[in-house]
Each structure stands twice: as structure tokens, then as C-alpha cells.
């Protein structure tokens, strides 16, 4: 709903990019498909949650995790979940994932019956990305003396540079489908300032989830669930 609470005197420009995703499941859950269950958080606490049970048919696995694919209506997008093996820390699993490895897991999806369960969840997340982007190699734009935004604009007060990159996300997954959104704001400042048996994948402990483009299988949204406490 909101990303900028106030403007600062030395802020010359804001670039804001937003996207929204709202999709229904190909097969929505019925009332009888939803039961209370227990989710074990990364910290070990047991949390009562509503679990949505279904039969799925695209099984995912690698040496450290299992998961499944679930289609949204019309097949334009797919939900994917990866559940690390019990005892493996979710962040250790994430560090082991590579772009190529993730694409291979999706591409190697096996057509086999799966008993699946997804907890209902909803959360938002906010992070300032300055340090992340600089560590990725984008350093000049944040340097008040070296940044060059002269083709975009100029200020009599001094050189323009990026003061802050703020990113916010929201996602809600329930029996009808998924709603997700992301907003990024860039503030420009002036220098003066196994054998075939039915598989089971119950997402009752920390897991990775993705929303995939239905044609390319490229992630358009991804995250982790480590805790479902309010």
C-alpha cells in the first residue's frame, strides 16, 4: 500500500517500480481439503496452522530436498515448493542452490502422484538494498563524488547519486490461489546530503517456494517460509 513515508529535503527524485500477481489455482481447495496441522519453525517452535491437502502430479527432488509443482489457472504460472531433508537448515540449503541447479530440478520434474500439503500463509518483507547491490558490483552509483546521473538531471546543490534502494514484498497463499506484490524505490539524492510409490511432501517445516512462468519455468517471485507465527 505504501513504500515512501516521507520525502527528505535532499531527495531530488524517486524511481518507483511495482508489480502485482493475483492468480487462482487450477484446482481450488475445497473445505474438506483444509485441516489444522503443526508447522515446526526454524527455531523449533510448534505452530498450529491451517494445512491445505491435495493430490499433485509433478514431483521435484535433488540430493537435499523434495517438492512439487502446482498449476495456477490456465497454466500461465506454476507454484513450486522445495522442502529440505529433515535436519538440514533451510539457509544451508539455499546457499547450496545455484541458478543452473534450480532449473535442473524444475526441468527434471517427474510425473508421479504426490500427497501434498501447503500451509496457508501471508507475510510482507522489507529490506534496504544498498549494501546488497554494492556487494554485487554496483558501487559507483552510490558514491556521491563518482556517480554520473548527468543525462537524467542535475542540481545546483551538488552531484546526484543514489541514496537508498528500498524493496518491499507481500505474498498471500490460501485455498483460492496466490496474491503477491513487490515494489522497489530508488531515491536519488544530491551530494550536499525412489521406486514408484506415491510420494508425500507436507510443507510442515521451513521450505522454499517459487512462482514460475508457465512457459519458461523461470522464477518471477521466490521466497522462504521459516516461521508462521503471527
Amino acid at each position: 500500500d505504501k513504500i515512501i513515508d516521507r520525502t527528505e529535503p535532499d531527495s531530488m527524485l524517486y524511481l518507483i517500480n511495482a508489480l502485482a500477481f493475483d492468480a487462482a489455482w487450477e484446482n481450488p481447495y475445497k473445505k474438506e481439503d483444509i485441516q489444522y496441522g503443526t508447522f515446526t519453525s526454524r527455531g523449533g517452535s510448534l505452530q498450529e496452522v491451517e494445512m491445505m491437502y491435495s493430490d499433485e502430479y509433478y514431483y521435484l527432488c535433488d540430493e537435499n530436498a523434495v517438492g512439487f509443482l502446482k498449476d495456477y489457472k490456465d497454466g500461465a504460472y506454476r507454484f513450486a515448493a522445495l522442502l529440505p531433508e529433515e535436519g538440514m537448515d533451510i539457509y544451508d540449503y539455499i546457499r547450496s542452490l545455484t541458478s543452473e541447479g534450480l532449473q535442473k530440478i524444475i526441468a527434471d520434474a517427474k510425473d508421479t502422484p504426490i500427497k501434498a500439503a501447503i500451509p496457508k500463509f501471508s507475510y510482507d518483507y522489507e529490506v534496504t538494498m544498498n549494501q546488497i547491490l554494492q556487494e554485487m558490483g554496483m558501487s559507483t552509483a552510490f558514491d556521491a563524488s563518482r556517480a554520473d546521473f548527468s543525462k537524467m538531471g542535475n542540481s545546483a546543490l551538488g552531484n546526484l547519486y543514489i541514496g537508498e534502494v528500498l524493496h518491499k514484498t507481500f505474498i498471500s497463499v490460501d485455498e483460492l490461489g496466490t496474491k503477491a506484490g513487490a515494489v522497489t524505490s530508488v531515491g536519488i539524492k544530491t551530494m550536499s546530503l525412489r521406486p514408484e510409490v506415491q510420494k508425500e511432501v507436507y510443507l510442515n517445516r521451513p521450505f522454499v517456494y517459487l512462482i514460475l512462468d508457465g512457459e519458461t519455468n523461470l522464477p518471477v517471485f521466490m521466497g522462504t517460509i521459516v516461521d508462521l507465527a503471527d
Side-chain angles (χ1 to χ4, degrees):
D1 295 330
K2 181 170 62 177
I3 190 167
I4 298 174
D5 293 318
R6 65 183 185 279
T7 59
E8 301 294 340
D10 62 341
S11 294
M12 298 290 109
L13 174 73
Y14 289 94
L15 304 178
I16 299 176
N17 174 280
L19 65 88
F21 175 85
D22 189 349
W25 298 119
E26 183 70 39
N27 297 301
Y29 295 89
K30 300 180 179 63
K31 185 176 180 180
E32 58 268 26
D33 298 328
I34 304 171
Q35 301 174 27
Y36 280 98
T38 300
F39 183 89
T40 304
S41 75
R42 181 171 180 263
S45 64
L46 303 180
Q47 301 163 352
E48 186 180 51
V49 297
E50 289 185 276
M51 298 290 290
M52 304 182 294
Y53 293 86
S54 62
D55 292 318
E56 305 300 335
Y57 299 94
Y58 298 102
Y59 181 68
L60 306 176
C61 65
D62 66 8
E63 61 271 20
N64 296 313
V66 295
F68 58 87
L69 296 173
K70 182 177 180 65
D71 286 337
Y72 291 104
K73 193 173 182 179
D74 300 326
Y77 296 94
R78 314 172 91 181
F79 177 89
L82 292 169
L83 182 70
E85 62 186 9
E86 198 156 6
M88 183 175 195
D89 184 79
I90 183 71
Y91 295 125
D92 288 339
Y93 178 68
I94 291 169
R95 280 189 285 269
S96 75
L97 277 177
T98 63
S99 176
E100 296 78 14
L102 182 58
Q103 283 298 302
K104 187 175 188 309
I105 294 170
I106 304 300
D108 291 347
K110 297 177 175 61
D111 187 354
T112 187
I114 312 147
K115 290 288 187 185
I118 305 173
K120 286 188 185 183
F121 64 88
S122 176
Y123 73 88
D124 52 30
Y125 171 74
E126 177 177 328
V127 62
T128 300
M129 297 184 66
N130 293 32
Q131 184 175 347
I132 295 169
L133 291 171
Q134 290 179 71
E135 288 175 353
M136 293 174 66
M138 183 179 167
S139 56
T140 303
F142 292 92
D143 189 315
S145 60
R146 294 192 299 145
D148 182 5
F149 288 97
S150 58
K151 292 185 178 181
M152 179 182 293
N154 57 73
S155 170
L157 299 177
N159 193 37
L160 299 180
Y161 68 101
I162 295 178
E164 181 181 57
V165 177
L166 179 65
H167 184 67
K168 297 179 75 172
T169 61
F170 165 84
I171 187 165
S172 175
V173 174
D174 62 20
E175 63 269 35
L176 300 179
T178 300
K179 294 182 180 181
V183 179
T184 301
S185 169
V186 180
I188 307 293
K189 292 193 172 185
T190 186
M191 182 179 176
S192 60
L193 301 169
R194 290 181 182 42
E196 285 306 326
V197 294
Q198 189 164 34
K199 311 289 188 182
E200 289 187 355
V201 182
Y202 295 154
L203 304 178
N204 55 10
R205 59 180 187 271
F207 62 93
V208 176
Y209 67 87
L210 308 95
I211 296 172
L212 305 171
D213 180 278
E215 291 187 7
T216 64
N217 279 332
L218 291 174
V220 296
F221 199 96
M222 62 191 302
T224 59
I225 295 295
V226 298
D227 194 311
L228 289 175
D230 292 336

